[in-house]
Each structure stands twice: as C-alpha cells, then as structure tokens.
Amino acid sequence: YVFGILILFGTIFGRWICGWLCPFGLIQELLYKIPSPKPKIQQHFLRLKYFKYAVLLLFVIMLPMFWVNDVGLRSPTFCKYICPAGTLEAGIPLVLSNPYLRDSIGLLFYWKVALLTMTILLSILLFRPFCRFICPLGAIYGLLNLISVCHLQIDKKQCIKCGRCRQKCKLGISVYQSPNSPECIRCGECIENCPNNAIYSRFPFWNSEKKKSFYP
C-alpha cells in the first residue's frame, strides 16, 4: 500500500512535492537565506547526488528486508539511524515535552542530533543538501519526474540556449537540455526567469501569469 501510494503521488507530482510540500525542504531553504559565503560546488562533488539512491537501496529496502531483531520485527533503519527531519520535527519536541523520555535518551539520540546539526550547518552554505544528496523519498520522486503529470516543456522555437535557466537554478540544472531532470524540485525559477518564455508547464497547480499564453 505504501509503495503504491508513493508511485501514485510520484506519477502525478514528481518532485513538485519536494519543492512545494516538504516541511524539511522549507526549513533548509530558510537556513540557506542566512547571509554567509555560498561556496560553488565543484563538478565532481555533484556526483554525490547519486548517493541518495544508495541510501534508498540500502537503508530503505535492503536492511529492513533482512535485518530483524530477536522477535522477528524489522527496523525502519533510515528513520531510526539517519533521518534528520524526524529528529527535528518529532524527536526533539517529544524529548523536550516528555521528562520520561529525557531520562531514557542514549547514544542513538545524540547521533541523530549530530546528524541534524551537520545538516543545519550545511544548509546555511548549500541549497537543500539533504534533498540533493541523502533523501530517499526525493530519489523515488526524482525517478518519476520524467513521466509525472507535473513536468516542464521547452518551446524549441523560442529557446535561444542563453543559459539563464541554469544560472538561476539553485541546483545547477541546464533546464533547456534536461527540463525534467531527476534533481529538479519544480521551484519554477527557470519559468519566471526565461527571457523568451520558452519554458512552461501545463500542470494546473503550477501556473504563472507570464505563461498563460502557452495554455490551451
């Protein structure tokens, strides 16, 4: 059921969910707005984007399938050992509000807080580092970007390949070459900044006054 729901939402929205619905994505974007030097990621570091697929395969699929405890229960290993979103949005609030939980925290909790702290610091310097390099849900939705109802199209007659879409994209995507990249979170910056209105979408919840001329 869970897998079916993910595929259903992925085929409709793709990574539009990451860009517009994910609360942890919003937190990362707000952190990125903090004034600080923003280092440019070198090309070879961009290969880290494939790491989230390894996380998906190992921590979401393989380990829960084969790693069981003494009573035969499987552990949600990604949520338990890695996910900083759960730590920030659930773990820490629960510990702060429940004195009994505060008395029982151990090494695992401190490990998760350390990962969250690292993610927060990276989010100040880099745009959405967790989404780009770690998030397995983003990996699933990204694979469905190509076939999702929410997708981008390029008017090749209008596109002059000026590269402005790549300059404005915080993820460094050359939208005119790969408008439905698995990394695209559908933020819409490329649509708004294309000088020739060559990028558009027919997705009903992702419209722009500037692009209405493309709608049937």
Side-chain angles (χ1 to χ4, degrees):
Y1 290 120
V2 173
F3 182 73
I5 289 171
L6 285 177
I7 297 301
L8 173 63
F9 278 87
T11 52
I12 296 173
F13 299 104
R15 291 200 76 176
W16 185 89
I17 295 173
C18 303
W20 294 92
L21 297 181
C22 177
F24 196 62
L26 171 63
I27 292 169
Q28 291 176 84
E29 290 202 22
L30 293 175
L31 289 168
Y32 187 72
K33 291 180 181 293
I34 296 175
S36 67
K38 309 297 183 185
K40 184 177 180 180
I41 302 180
Q42 298 299 321
Q43 190 64 32
H44 53 277
F45 283 115
L46 289 177
R47 295 174 184 172
L48 288 173
K49 66 185 180 183
Y50 298 112
F51 184 68
K52 60 180 173 287
Y53 299 103
V55 172
L56 171 64
L57 181 64
L58 180 62
F59 286 93
V60 178
I61 299 175
M62 300 299 293
L63 286 178
M65 283 178 63
F66 299 107
W67 187 8
V68 296
N69 60 20
D70 295 336
V71 294
L73 294 177
R74 307 184 194 283
S75 176
T77 49
F78 176 77
C79 298
K80 185 175 181 179
Y81 295 106
I82 297 179
C83 184
T87 306
L88 177 64
E89 297 165 10
I92 292 177
L94 282 173
V95 167
L96 292 177
S97 62
N98 192 323
Y100 299 104
L101 287 177
R102 288 200 294 272
D103 294 336
S104 63
I105 60 176
L107 183 60
L108 178 60
F109 181 77
Y110 293 116
W111 162 251
K112 294 291 294 293
V113 170
L115 288 179
L116 173 62
T117 303
M118 187 184 306
T119 303
I120 289 173
L121 294 176
L122 283 174
S123 297
I124 297 173
L125 302 175
L126 303 175
F127 184 75
R128 285 185 173 232
F130 177 75
C131 304
R132 297 169 75 174
F133 308 127
I134 304 293
C135 182
L137 191 56
I140 294 173
Y141 288 144
L143 291 174
L144 296 169
N145 256 2
L146 279 171
I147 62 170
S148 65
V149 176
C150 174
H151 67 280
L152 291 177
Q153 295 176 271
I154 306 296
D155 186 335
K156 294 182 179 180
K157 295 180 180 179
Q158 294 290 106
C159 180
I160 58 174
K161 300 181 180 179
C162 62
R164 187 172 178 81
C165 53
R166 181 177 59 235
Q167 295 169 7
K168 290 294 181 179
C169 179
K170 294 185 179 69
L171 298 172
I173 300 170
S174 296
V175 181
Y176 68 94
Q177 294 177 322
S178 182
N180 296 294
S181 164
E183 306 308 309
C184 177
I185 60 170
R186 309 313 202 195
C187 68
E189 290 284 336
C190 56
I191 295 177
E192 295 300 325
N193 287 280
C194 179
N196 276 26
N197 293 352
I199 308 170
Y200 64 101
S201 172
R202 290 191 172 90
F203 189 57
F205 302 108
W206 189 24
N207 200 348
S208 167
E209 292 295 325
K210 186 179 176 183
K211 306 298 170 185
K212 279 191 174 178
S213 60
F214 286 106
Y215 282 71

